[in-house]
Amino acid sequence: MSWLTNYVKPKLQKVLNARDTPDNLWHKCKNCGQMIFQKEFIANNRVCAHCDHHDRVPPQDRFAALFDNQKFDLLTLPSVAQDPLKFKDTKKYTDRLKAARSNTGDEDAIKVAVGKIDGQKTVIAVQNFFFMGGSMGMAVGEGIIAGAKEALRQGVPFVMFTASGGARMQEGILSLMQMPRTTVAVQMLRDAGLPYIVVLTDPTSGGVSASYAMLGDVQIAEPGAMIAFSGPRVIEQTIREKLPEGFQRSEYLLEHGMVDMVVHRHDLREKLGTVLSMLMAGGRKQKAAE
């Protein structure tokens, strides 16, 4: 028995463990449940090949898919106070930040980059839902303002990709203050005659949808994206009515005039290039510079 336990069993475990399937080899679609090779899923811009479900995209992948030749420069965003309210729920806010930074490799829930889309230099800001649900805190507010200022400095369009559950509760009133601050930044772009385009991705809700997410000169949405202020359950309990099918999804909002177009992720780069070239025609860059 000792020979079997001490020699044969370890040998068998070594062979079997060597053949274990890596945890990240497959991706299970959240919509249809089909299993997809992770490499194929990422190569398809995180769109399910079976049901066309658009999954969430981290900022770095978004930049690579949009900018010409995958070339772009990341902006260094302003630093903000860490845990200004000394907030603690089941965990300390500082511990949640550390965990999110470790899991994503990002400093906070937004990244801003400058590059060219179809030859048109553009500033793009992308919210990262994988970082604390893309919640809007001071860092996100500062990131959007920094992106708008860079667009103003260079006289180029500003494209905002939203993906957020709303304001970050751990920063309280300081997170809500980002709503008027970002609105002012959008108005600065408008006064300069520069395009501000918003691409609404799944999900866009709360204080984000109540501020900069719905202020674009052109409102684009990805298919099936949930776009709302509060969740459907809260609304149903408040008005005591059954909501229509697909309520708060991008297609429903398109039918009711809340967004201008719903664009498949595979067509997004081409569509943005067309829109940007149209909006920047007629000397807008010269007007912005003046």
Side-chain angles (χ1 to χ4, degrees):
M1 183 62 71
S2 62
W3 176 76
L4 289 172
T5 303
N6 298 332
Y7 182 78
V8 177
K9 187 177 178 180
K11 290 288 185 182
L12 287 172
Q13 287 177 336
K14 185 177 181 180
V15 172
L16 292 172
N17 289 338
R19 295 179 181 177
D20 283 348
T21 303
D23 293 337
N24 61 349
L25 185 60
W26 294 89
H27 169 81
K28 184 177 180 180
C29 178
K30 298 172 185 175
N31 185 55
C32 68
Q34 288 285 339
M35 300 298 291
I36 313 165
F37 274 117
Q38 184 76 4
K39 287 184 178 179
E40 293 179 0
F41 178 63
I42 294 174
N44 200 38
N45 287 335
R46 299 177 187 266
V47 177
C48 178
H50 300 279
C51 69
D52 212 37
H53 174 68
H54 285 51
D55 212 327
R56 290 151 189 166
V57 182
Q60 203 75 12
D61 290 4
R62 184 74 75 176
F63 294 142
L66 291 171
F67 285 121
D68 295 352
N69 302 316
Q70 300 185 6
K71 292 183 178 179
F72 56 90
D73 296 315
L74 288 172
L75 291 188
T76 300
L77 303 181
S79 298
V80 298
Q82 302 293 307
D83 194 14
L85 304 180
K86 307 300 179 186
F87 193 94
K88 181 180 179 182
D89 46 274
T90 55
K91 292 182 181 179
K92 290 182 179 179
Y93 179 38
T94 50
D95 292 339
R96 291 190 184 278
L97 285 173
K98 288 176 184 177
R101 287 166 181 163
S102 176
N103 292 335
T104 63
D106 294 339
E107 190 64 22
D108 213 282
I110 192 168
K111 277 191 170 183
V112 184
V114 183
K116 291 183 178 181
I117 300 178
D118 199 18
Q120 170 63 56
K121 182 174 276 191
T122 307
V123 177
I124 297 181
V126 180
Q127 286 185 267
N128 186 359
F129 192 81
F130 299 104
F131 193 107
M132 297 185 69
S135 50
M136 175 187 63
M138 291 189 296
V140 169
E142 289 292 344
I144 294 170
I145 293 168
K149 286 182 176 179
E150 183 64 21
L152 286 165
R153 188 182 72 82
Q154 298 198 35
V156 300
F158 185 36
V159 180
M160 181 75 220
F161 281 78
T162 61
S164 176
R168 188 171 296 175
M169 69 172 192
Q170 290 90 347
E171 295 185 17
I173 189 64
L174 298 175
S175 70
L176 296 178
M177 286 171 61
Q178 308 314 309
M179 296 171 65
R181 294 182 77 236
T182 52
T183 300
V184 170
V186 172
Q187 188 59 47
M188 289 167 60
L189 292 167
R190 195 156 290 152
D191 291 343
L194 291 172
Y196 172 61
I197 299 173
V198 179
V199 182
L200 303 154
T201 74
D202 183 64
T204 298
S205 60
V208 171
S209 65
S211 54
Y212 56 86
M214 301 304 290
L215 295 176
D217 298 314
V218 179
Q219 297 285 137
I220 302 173
E222 287 193 331
M226 198 277 280
I227 305 165
F229 179 73
S230 58
R233 186 175 60 182
V234 174
I235 297 173
E236 285 183 344
Q237 290 176 349
T238 302
I239 67 175
R240 302 185 184 280
E241 294 284 346
K242 183 68 178 175
L243 299 176
E245 186 68 27
F247 181 70
Q248 297 181 319
R249 294 291 168 177
S250 52
E251 292 78 8
Y252 185 92
L253 269 65
L254 177 64
E255 291 176 4
H256 292 78
M258 293 294 290
V259 299
D260 297 306
M261 61 186 85
V262 176
V263 181
H264 195 284
R265 190 172 293 164
H266 293 163
D267 304 323
L268 190 54
R269 183 178 178 277
E270 181 182 355
K271 181 63 71 175
L272 278 173
T274 302
V275 171
L276 290 171
S277 63
M278 292 174 63
L279 292 178
M280 288 301 287
R284 281 200 172 201
K285 185 172 182 178
Q286 181 62 34
K287 179 185 176 183
E290 292 171 356

